[in-house]
Amino acid sequence: MALALFTPTAVAIEAAEGLAVEAGFFARHIKALAVLRSLAVSLLLALLTVVAVELITRGSVDQTWLYFTNPEQPAWTTTGVFFLLYLAIDALIGRQHKAVLLVSPLVVLMGVISQQKQVFLTDPLYPTDLLFGRQIMELMPVLVQDRPWTAAALALAVVASVVALISLWVFAWRRFRPLTKKERLTRLAVALPLIAGFVSIMDYNEFSWVRDRLKVFPIMWDQAENYRHNGFVMAFAINLPMANVQAPSGYMVDAIDKIPSKPLPAGTTHRSKPDVIVVMSESLWDPTRIQSVKLSADPMPVIRESQSGNVFSPEFGGLTANVEFEALTGFSNAFLPTGSIPYQQYVRKPIPSLATFFRAEGYTARAIHPFSGWFWNRSSVYKAFGFQTFKDVEKMPPLAKRGNFTSDEALTKEIIRQADAQEDPFFFFTVTLQGHGPYDDGRYAKTDIAVDGKLDARDNRMLASYAQGVKEADQSLKMLMDWAKTRDRETIIVVFGDHLPPLNTVYQNSGYMKGITASRKGSPEQMQKEHETPLVIWSNKTGTEKEIGTISPAFLSYYILKEAGFEHPYYTGFLGAVHDKLRVIDRYMLIDAKGNGTAGWARKKTIDPLVRDFRFLQHDIMFGKQYGLERFFNSHAELMAAGF
């Protein structure tokens, strides 16, 4: 009996049973292997999509390789997002690998457009560029006429691409495996929550530990670096919230026509056209407002003696360009999407500004800033605002520094040098740099102002360092005023701070604020305390204009033109009417001439008619049909007609 177990028949039976067991194993796992293979292909397609887009937008194999091999950049995070997106779309369609045929052509096309935009306009593609599609379409006939063969080749390429895409779609529908109901539900259950979670951490206004770990760093002040570091797709996504600029309800030509205006006299009430110098002083603020500490000396005696009032900054610790936008245009950030930066997203065409007004009056309009012109996109923006020249760090002689940045003293001397070279009346707009943070110990070899109070040693040193910078800004203003006093022509000097300095724990530890940054919502008293910066409006003929109170930067143009003796249908006309009723127009609060606040005004069913008309007119000029351009911005319209 025992020998019978080793007969050929028994061996064959045992082998067959072994094969059956093995076949059963593969049968049980073949679906799992198919799923794994499908997921691997989806991941590969996601990787290829990101590689293709980066190769196109960067125009360099080396730069693309560095993007994927540098662990501090989010190449693999982006690949993971595409992978999840492909899984979700495939699940919705019901077939594997169809999502790539929908998504990748669109993303690649956007990459091509971005690359071409960088070639001709130096900037990458922003979501807000879609707001100006009408202008691009208007340029198409001109482009076709100028380069007919290029246009024909492009048209053929588009047709060929569409045909190829349709063919691929048909092939995929026939050959790509349908997904089972279980597969579809599983993919959606995994992919959608992860995608939603990722979207929830992309608000760059709030710090996200997870986003930081994923190496996604919103670099909003430098979009070129934003796109370089994060990659085209991720940077484009970071900018998406700013593209949602909707026309205010009721905006139409009749609404603009109904905004009241009155005819104004031409020229100036002054005996001659005064020169105007506007200085936006980086992070200029009064540190003596912190009452729990004592400074050994007043760091800003000149500013204090000549102070006209305060500017209510819409920002804190940064985003200088948003304050600058209001000061130069007379428009308000309150009417734009939260987190938007007009200099980066919306200034794509000529926009009325103080520069265009003064140019129309025969002035030389010049912007001056001792840093690179690409920062905050200033080179393009100043041109759109009508400045004839922009003197950045590359177009000025070498200027002495204090710490890491050009000193206020050296910049003031350069302003005086440029002013002395002018024969015609001039309007200078200057942005200083010395006051920029950080304010670490050692920034200045010696500080003249000591700090005494309950702060720890580190906070004391930081506040002392900052106060030293304020003192030197104050001394620079005195230098500018002393020079102006020697001039025969009237010279108007306007100085204001763009925002409170980022002093880190100083505010919190001193009890000045609850946190290390200013609140965005609160009582009028609290908001003014945390957002006010000094304002000086001074003339070498009439002295300081006093008792202005606290105003939004948008109202600076009203005061500048009034001080210079000019009347204007918008800046002193309409904007003046708004100013008579409201002094602060913030995204979260209105403050009237009596200091009363209206919180949450933007969410109310009805808003003040003046605010409504203000919003209508701003949208009309920036995004709309410019129905009110000739009536409210006649000087700008004349410059445009003359070729700008």
Side-chain angles (χ1 to χ4, degrees):
M1 288 293 295
L3 291 175
L5 294 175
F6 296 96
T7 62
T9 302
V11 172
I13 292 172
E14 186 174 328
E17 289 176 348
L19 290 173
V21 170
E22 187 175 350
F25 173 83
F26 282 107
R28 287 194 303 271
H29 293 83
I30 192 168
K31 290 185 177 181
L33 293 173
V35 169
L36 289 175
R37 184 171 60 250
S38 177
L39 293 176
V41 172
S42 293
L43 180 60
L44 178 61
L45 291 173
L47 175 61
L48 292 176
T49 300
V50 179
V51 169
V53 172
E54 293 303 320
L55 277 173
I56 292 169
T57 55
R58 295 173 187 270
S60 167
V61 173
D62 291 341
Q63 290 299 317
T64 302
W65 174 257
L66 287 174
Y67 176 62
F68 278 91
T69 56
N70 184 355
E72 295 302 313
Q73 289 183 267
W76 295 102
T77 297
T78 306
T79 301
V81 171
F82 270 96
F83 173 62
L84 294 172
L85 187 63
Y86 285 172
L87 294 185
I89 296 176
D90 284 343
L92 293 173
I93 295 174
R95 286 179 181 265
Q96 61 180 355
H97 314 320
K98 292 294 288 293
V100 67
L101 298 180
L102 289 174
V103 176
S104 61
L106 177 61
V107 176
V108 168
L109 176 62
M110 292 169 60
V112 171
I113 295 173
S114 183
Q115 189 273 334
Q116 288 297 301
K117 183 169 180 262
Q118 289 181 84
V119 169
F120 292 103
L121 299 176
T122 71
D123 281 338
L125 182 70
Y126 302 129
T128 44
D129 288 327
L130 303 178
L131 299 171
F132 303 92
R134 178 172 59 87
Q135 298 177 42
I136 297 174
M137 293 308 296
E138 289 175 353
L139 288 173
M140 288 304 293
V142 178
L143 295 175
V144 171
Q145 184 178 1
D146 183 56
R147 299 181 180 181
W149 290 109
T150 301
L154 182 61
L156 288 174
V158 170
V159 172
S161 298
V162 171
V163 171
L165 189 60
I166 293 174
S167 301
L168 282 172
W169 185 268
V170 173
F171 173 82
W173 191 261
R174 292 174 178 174
R175 301 294 297 273
F176 290 0
R177 178 178 66 84
L179 297 173
T180 65
K181 184 177 181 180
K182 182 179 179 180
E183 285 179 301
R184 297 175 68 179
L185 291 175
T186 302
R187 288 182 178 216
L188 290 174
V190 172
L192 291 182
L194 290 174
I195 292 173
F198 183 79
V199 171
S200 70
I201 64 171
M202 290 301 287
D203 181 4
Y204 60 81
N205 290 296
E206 302 290 338
F207 174 77
S208 169
W209 183 88
V210 175
R211 187 182 66 212
D212 197 61
R213 300 288 80 74
L214 294 174
K215 307 304 179 184
V216 180
F217 304 135
I219 310 173
M220 308 311 292
W221 59 91
D222 180 2
Q223 288 292 346
E225 178 63 16
N226 191 26
Y227 277 71
R228 187 204 66 79
H229 172 82
N230 293 304
F232 170 75
V233 173
M234 199 63 72
F236 189 89
I238 291 171
N239 283 303
L240 272 174
M242 279 75 75
N244 186 28
V245 180
Q246 298 180 348
S249 177
Y251 166 72
M252 61 183 69
V253 62
D254 290 344
I256 300 298
D257 289 342
K258 289 178 181 177
I259 299 176
S261 63
K262 58 183 179 181
L264 299 170
T268 174
T269 58
H270 290 218
R271 60 191 177 93
S272 64
K273 293 180 178 180
D275 293 328
V276 179
I277 300 174
V278 178
V279 178
M280 187 169 72
S281 186
E282 173 64 44
S283 298
L284 178 65
W285 178 66
D286 182 1
T288 65
R289 284 193 168 200
I290 303 178
Q291 296 180 353
S292 61
V293 300
K294 184 178 180 180
L295 304 184
S296 61
D298 184 358
M300 43 179 279
V302 178
I303 294 173
R304 197 176 310 284
E305 181 182 356
S306 306
Q307 190 164 346
S308 303
N310 297 287
V311 166
F312 184 98
S313 176
E315 305 298 345
F316 173 87
L319 293 177
T320 297
N322 283 357
V323 185
E324 189 176 327
F325 165 76
E326 290 200 16
L328 284 172
T329 63
F331 292 152
S332 176
N333 289 285
F335 305 137
L336 298 173
T338 301
S340 62
I341 303 170
Y343 273 27
Q344 298 283 13
Q345 287 96 26
Y346 306 131
V347 182
R348 296 286 188 277
K349 61 182 180 181
I351 298 290
S353 76
L354 284 175
T356 55
F357 168 78
F358 280 113
R359 278 186 62 184
E361 293 293 331
Y363 279 64
T364 295
R366 177 174 298 171
I368 303 170
H369 179 49
F371 200 63
S372 300
W374 54 260
F375 200 76
W376 287 130
N377 200 30
R378 281 191 174 102
S379 292
S380 298
V381 169
Y382 286 153
K383 183 177 181 180
F385 281 175
F387 284 99
Q388 290 156 297
T389 56
F390 170 30
K391 298 291 186 179
D392 64 0
V393 67
E394 296 177 358
K395 297 178 182 177
M396 289 189 288
L399 301 179
K401 293 184 177 182
R402 285 286 280 159
N404 295 324
F405 304 114
T406 298
S407 74
D408 286 346
E409 178 184 5
L411 179 60
T412 301
K413 290 179 179 178
E414 176 62 15
I415 293 171
I416 293 172
R417 185 190 71 80
Q418 293 190 33
D420 285 338
Q422 299 296 316
E423 295 183 1
D424 295 330
F426 62 82
F427 165 61
F428 284 178
F429 180 79
T430 303
V431 182
T432 72
L433 196 58
Q434 181 179 337
H436 202 289
Y439 311 103
D440 297 334
D441 186 32
R443 176 169 182 166
Y444 301 108
K446 177 184 178 182
T447 56
D448 302 322
I449 299 176
V451 178
D452 182 27
K454 66 178 184 179
L455 297 176
D456 61 27
R458 181 177 180 275
D459 283 346
N460 270 338
R461 290 194 299 268
M462 179 175 289
L463 187 56
S465 179
Y466 173 73
Q468 180 68 30
V470 173
K471 177 182 178 180
E472 296 183 20
D474 190 75
Q475 292 171 338
S476 296
L477 174 59
K478 183 180 185 302
M479 180 194 302
L480 192 62
M481 294 169 71
D482 288 344
W483 162 80
K485 290 174 184 177
T486 66
R487 308 187 78 220
D488 179 61
R489 180 183 290 169
E490 180 174 11
T491 305
I492 296 170
I493 296 173
V494 178
V495 177
F496 66 98
D498 53 351
H499 50 68
L500 270 69
L503 292 175
N504 204 347
T505 55
V506 170
Y507 296 117
Q508 188 176 42
N509 293 341
S510 67
Y512 189 79
M513 296 180 189
K514 293 181 180 179
I516 63 175
T517 61
S519 303
R520 291 305 300 146
K521 300 178 183 179
S523 67
E525 294 76 19
Q526 178 190 359
M527 296 303 290
Q528 288 176 343
K529 177 182 178 181
E530 299 181 5
H531 288 271
E532 283 181 345
T533 65
L535 168 64
V536 173
I537 300 179
W538 176 88
S539 166
N540 64 343
K541 302 300 182 184
T542 60
T544 300
E545 183 171 352
K546 290 286 190 178
E547 298 182 0
I548 287 178
T550 299
I551 61 171
S552 286
F555 293 120
L556 282 170
S557 53
Y558 164 75
Y559 278 99
I560 290 169
L561 294 196
K562 293 293 285 186
E563 181 69 21
F566 289 103
E567 296 288 340
H568 185 274
Y570 176 77
Y571 294 119
T572 61
F574 174 79
L575 199 58
V578 178
H579 167 270
D580 289 343
K581 187 172 184 180
L582 298 168
R583 299 303 168 86
V584 172
I585 299 180
D586 183 66
R587 191 181 306 279
Y588 303 103
M589 176 175 288
L590 303 176
I591 301 178
D592 64 21
K594 296 180 180 180
N596 300 315
T598 302
W601 63 270
R603 297 193 301 272
K604 297 183 183 297
K605 291 183 179 180
T606 59
I607 62 175
D608 188 294
L610 273 175
V611 177
R612 177 202 63 203
D613 290 346
F614 192 179
R615 187 178 184 184
F616 280 163
L617 197 49
Q618 177 172 322
H619 184 88
D620 179 59
I621 299 301
M622 291 189 67
F623 308 106
K625 302 289 187 178
Q626 297 192 333
Y627 299 124
L629 184 65
E630 292 188 3
R631 186 155 64 98
F632 289 98
F633 299 95
N634 52 352
S635 55
H636 182 86
E638 291 171 1
L639 282 176
M640 290 290 293
F644 201 55

